Amino acid sequence: MWVHPMPDPVALSIGPLHIRWYGLMYLAAFIQFVALARVRIKQPQIARCGWTKEDIDDMLFYGVLGVVLGGRLGEVLFYHPEFYFANPLEIVKVWNGGMSFHGGFLGVLLAMSIWAYKRRRNAWDVLDFIAPMVPLGYAFGRLGNFINAELPGRIADATLPWAMIWPNVDNLPRHPSPLYQTLEGVVEFALLWYFARKERPRMAVGGMFCLLSGMGRFITEYFRVPDYEVHFAGITISAGQMLSLPLIALGIVMLIVAYRRGAHAPDRVPSQEAQTRAG
């Protein structure tokens, strides 16, 4: 039987400065975003739209704010409002873990919409551009959850070869659900990157991201101890599944709209010089 290694959440200490594994996973997520985005802007259908390295660096700043603020507020409001409202100082302690994927998604949507408005980009084009880089970032975040021994899995059959005991929970065999969700992010990245390699109608890549992410999270929730469950019409679903249903619906609607409109190339943004002259 595997036993969770329960590693020290602090990866490195330099005097009073403590660098945590959870923070390093988020740093890795942002680095991979930049690296993949620089590959993506070289794809013919993307290069024709005038994306630049400066756009990537600028979007990263907005994206970090969206992920951190949205993810934390989502954790506070969607999952544990009673605890955080009773202990408001805990809200800022993001290094201890506790980030909501759905909150981060909404935060990034808002941040990218603001960036698109400022840069005169179509917001759907921005979503289509960044979507393939998001799943690997999600995977790194879930790996950070595993290192922190967070999000334990449901009790598993002891004969399951990869069942794992979480000493901070109990001595029962459990599914290593954060690792399942790490794998989920890797698979979604592979599918979405392949899908986005060809020119697609506006909203199609973003819609596929919403659909894959919602479905992936809905499935992996069956193996994770739920934060809480919702009972409706004789059906029981977890909080994560309930929040994933709108994401699945949004993805389906976006794909239908995208392909009903037919091929619609993203807007080509005027050069910086042209924007300056126009101003």
Side-chain angles (χ1 to χ4, degrees):
M1 182 72 63
W2 295 90
V3 178
H4 192 290
M6 303 296 292
D8 187 339
V10 177
L12 178 65
S13 295
I14 305 174
L17 176 64
H18 300 298
I19 301 174
R20 295 175 175 263
W21 286 109
Y22 194 76
L24 289 178
M25 292 300 101
Y26 270 77
L27 177 61
F30 297 136
I31 290 174
Q32 68 84 32
F33 176 89
V34 173
L36 289 175
R38 293 194 173 189
V39 173
R40 186 150 165 73
I41 62 175
K42 296 178 182 178
Q43 295 173 341
Q45 77 279 14
I46 300 298
R48 287 195 297 269
C49 299
W51 290 95
T52 67
K53 293 180 180 179
E54 289 72 23
D55 289 334
I56 296 169
D57 296 339
D58 204 21
M59 279 193 297
L60 179 64
F61 173 75
Y62 283 80
V64 169
L65 290 178
V67 168
V68 175
L69 295 179
R72 192 58 170 176
L73 288 176
E75 179 72 11
V76 171
L77 299 175
F78 296 158
Y79 293 103
H80 306 291
E82 299 88 356
F83 170 78
Y84 285 109
F85 290 158
N87 304 275
L89 291 180
E90 293 294 322
I91 296 175
V92 300
K93 296 181 181 180
V94 295
W95 52 85
N96 288 333
M99 299 286 279
S100 161
F101 163 73
H102 299 94
F105 172 76
L106 293 175
V108 169
L109 277 186
L110 177 60
M112 291 298 99
S113 296
I114 294 172
W115 184 87
Y117 175 79
K118 291 182 64 175
R119 296 299 296 268
R120 302 181 185 179
R121 287 269 185 186
N122 183 288
W124 295 117
D125 292 346
V126 176
L127 178 59
D128 286 341
F129 175 74
I130 69 171
M133 283 82 76
V134 175
L136 274 188
Y138 171 78
F140 278 114
R142 287 306 183 219
L143 188 56
N145 290 136
F146 179 76
I147 294 172
N148 273 3
E150 299 174 323
L151 313 182
R154 298 177 190 257
I155 297 174
D157 192 311
T159 61
L160 185 70
W162 53 84
M164 180 178 292
I165 293 174
W166 294 59
N168 63 325
V169 180
D170 53 32
N171 291 319
L172 298 174
R174 294 181 175 275
H175 290 279
S177 57
L179 296 183
Y180 292 178
Q181 294 185 311
T182 300
L183 180 61
E184 171 201 342
V186 173
V187 172
E188 287 171 11
F189 161 73
L191 294 174
L192 196 58
W193 188 266
Y194 178 80
F195 180 78
R197 289 182 64 185
K198 296 181 179 180
E199 186 165 3
R200 303 290 180 181
R202 173 178 286 160
M203 297 172 58
V205 176
M208 183 61 72
F209 164 77
C210 293
L211 180 61
L212 291 175
S213 296
M215 291 177 61
R217 178 63 184 271
F218 193 94
I219 293 171
T220 55
E221 277 285 316
Y222 282 112
F223 304 98
R224 168 180 159 179
V225 174
D227 295 276
Y228 60 87
E229 293 182 317
V230 179
H231 306 278
F232 178 74
I235 300 175
T236 300
I237 62 174
S238 71
Q241 289 174 321
M242 180 181 65
L243 292 170
S244 295
L245 289 175
L247 194 59
I248 294 171
L250 176 62
I252 293 172
V253 170
M254 288 174 65
L255 285 168
I256 291 174
V257 171
Y259 281 98
R260 279 188 175 177
R261 288 181 175 178
H264 186 298
D267 295 334
R268 180 179 179 85
V269 173
S271 66
Q272 189 65 41
E273 292 78 10
Q275 291 187 37
T276 301
R277 291 196 299 271

